Amino acid sequence: MKFIKYVPNTLSVLRVLLAALMCVLAWRGHTWWFIAVFFMVGATDFWDGIIARKFNVETKLGSQLDLIGDFAMLIGGVVSVLLAWVNGHLVLSHNWTWFVIAIALTAASCAVPVCVCRARFGMWNKLHLLFYRFIGLPLFLLAPLFIWLGQVNFWLVLAFCILIVLGQVEEVATLLTMKEFHANHNGIIGKRVARKEIRGH
């Protein structure tokens, strides 16, 4: 079973490659193939962490690869929608400049916690907050939903952009209060939720 220690990192690398393939499929207008590969990308994100924790093969390299894979998945979804629009496979509900502003500001906010983590703990990394897990699935489903419908709704995009920015604020606040880095920290909100659940029992 020695090979198991390589599985999580392999899945993270595979996520990057599949994210690139996803963009090609969106560009070519292969809607159902795109959706299939998109969910394969999501499966690699789900299983790499579970396998690493279950078999106790978590490493610093694996954490870095997971971060790269997550960014590839996120950027791949945005780029796929962009390429599908450029090639005429979907339309925008509002002028494209509004989408660019919202997404650019959100992307800039995502870089802040990574830089704070680097400054405090000497590594480029992000936390897996409970808040992110809460919004992660619906956010994950946006790209295939838009490509399937053939339209991108600005207000839905803006709502998720605001939620993501709020997540970055919580992550920065959590990083500033942590004494040691723990990628799977629940965050300030998550800790309060956990305390309420314990009191409820």
Side-chain angles (χ1 to χ4, degrees), residues 53 127-138 183-187 190:
R53 288 188 293 272
L127 301 176
H128 298 156
L129 300 181
L130 184 66
F131 183 80
Y132 291 151
R133 294 196 286 272
F134 177 73
I135 68 170
L137 181 59
N184 295 316
H185 196 289
N186 279 336

Side-chain angles (χ1 to χ4, degrees), residues 5-142:
K5 66 180 180 181
Y6 301 109
V7 173
N9 291 356
T10 301
L11 289 174
S12 296
V13 173
L14 182 61
R15 182 151 73 256
V16 176
L17 299 176
L18 288 174
L21 175 60
M22 192 171 69
C23 295
V24 174
L25 293 170
W27 167 260
R28 299 295 298 273
H30 299 306
T31 301
W32 293 109
W33 277 111
F34 167 83
I35 292 174
V37 172
F38 194 90
F39 281 99
M40 289 173 64
V41 170
T44 65
D45 183 40
F46 178 79
W47 285 107
D48 63 353
I50 288 181
I51 293 172
R53 288 188 293 272
K54 182 176 179 61
F55 293 95
N56 196 28
V57 289
E58 295 175 283
T59 63
K60 187 174 181 179
L61 173 61
S63 181
Q64 298 290 327
L65 288 175
D66 184 50
L67 176 62
I68 293 170
D70 288 347
F71 273 118
M73 181 172 65
L74 177 62
I75 293 171
V78 173
V79 171
S80 293
V81 172
L82 176 63
L83 291 175
W85 168 65
V86 168
N87 222 20
H89 300 304
L90 54 75
V91 296
L92 305 179
S93 65
H94 287 62
N95 188 282
W96 64 270
T97 53
W98 292 107
F99 288 92
V100 171
I101 292 170
I103 293 172
L105 291 175
T106 304
S109 76
C110 292
V112 176
V114 179
C115 294
V116 172
C117 184
R118 175 66 179 179
R120 286 219 64 203
F121 304 106
M123 64 177 74
W124 302 102
N125 215 326
K126 285 182 67 64
L127 301 176
H128 298 156
L129 300 181
L130 184 66
F131 183 80
Y132 291 151
R133 294 196 286 272
F134 177 73
I135 68 170
L137 181 59
L139 177 63
F140 173 72
L141 294 174
L142 282 185

